[in-house]
Amino acid sequence: MAWPDTVRRVSNDADALVEAFHAQTDRRPAGVWAAPGRVNLIGEHTDYNDGYVMPFALAQRVLIAAAPRQDGSWSVTSLNNHSTETFESADLQPGMTGWQAYVAGVVWALEEAGHRLGGADLVLSSDVPVGAGLSSSAALECAVLTALADLNDLDIAGLERAKLARRSENAFVGAPTGLMDQAASTLCTAGNALFFDCRTTEAEQVRFDTSSAGLEILVLDTKTPHALVDSEYAARRASCEEAARLLGVPALRDVSDVDTALQQLPDPVIQRRVRHVVTENARVLEAVSVLRAGRIADLAPLLDASHASMRDDFEITVPPVDLAVEVARGSGALGARMTGGGFGGCIIALVPAGEAERIGREIAKSFATAGYGPPVHFTAVPSAGAQRLQ
Ligand code: GLA
């Protein structure tokens, strides 16, 4: 989900943030921490069905400079929003709104889990596009968590950090997401995609070196406002849970024979939702085999099939997203799909190296013709997960 932001672009390097921290608090930070946004290569709406996902971390990230405070209270400045918010741990209540809820929620989740925290001054900046399905909120949560764990000498393993960040998003902010985004932000490593089993929480780093295959990943943000995302996301999740109940399985992950399952479901909408989840899980497993064998180009048909499944069965795409995917393919992409929760946001396309710019421009032209606003694109390189920088 996305934290509200005016999306002011800020210089996002650690030294600039240290200077900003000094200007804000008149002292030096104890450190600077970072946590990335992600794209999901494949495995959409499978995480909360106990299924499989395969995201990788972006170079775009949230940076946080922090120093402990003696008075136990919290002060948080967002350079993107140009605002400073303060709060006391004792006053934190689930349901808080605004960008600061993603910070306060992490404080709340850590304390709820029994960790003792002192207050802190935090100054943050982000270059993760907001509202684009690239997990700007998970990046913020995981950056705060990484900083607070270090500042308070808390020994919390990566997976546990992801779970705490998700707890804050689910129970404090109130978004019923799965674990994928926080797992990606904390567990991903440079050069790899993360094959993550959301039931067992087993994680495998799978080499994803597109350049060795003469390919690259184009990410194109359609800039489509996705007003429906929260309610539609919750509705999809509810349908999946209802389907699992009707089928008598703990989660849709447990459906092995999709045809038999569909025969047991009377409602065509629920049938389509189930078909998406079951086939998408199978596509993730196929994608893992393809990457393990170094056959990156063979991802393309899986990306295409995933998009068709999200469009026709899970019904989470919107016309600009479908147009971007079609034009990407028509302009030379090997395969393309929407990435993230849906109802707008980004597509990813597997394209020949050096072609991303041209294909991005072709999509922009088609958007102008269709009367849509200009999209924004970049190429994505699998990057490091949350870490201390200084
Ligand atoms: C959002 C959620 C994730 C996941 C995706 C869809 O990003 O935060 O947990 O469900 O949507 O795959």
Side-chain angles (χ1 to χ4, degrees), residues 1 38 40 43-45 47-48 177-181 233 340-341:
M1 300 290 130
R38 60 103 190 94
N40 189 17
E44 224 63 83
H45 287 260
D47 61 352
Y48 57 79
T177 62
L179 184 58
M180 169 171 69
D181 304 342
Y233 184 95

Side-chain angles (χ1 to χ4, degrees), residues 99-141:
W99 65 267
Q100 65 274 22
Y102 294 93
V103 179
V106 170
V107 172
W108 176 86
L110 280 165
E111 292 189 336
E112 186 206 37
H115 298 292
R116 290 174 60 84
L117 304 179
D121 286 325
L122 306 170
V123 176
L124 63 97
S125 63
S126 174
D127 63 357
V128 185
V130 169
L134 299 178
S135 292
S136 57
S137 64
L140 175 53
E141 291 154 357

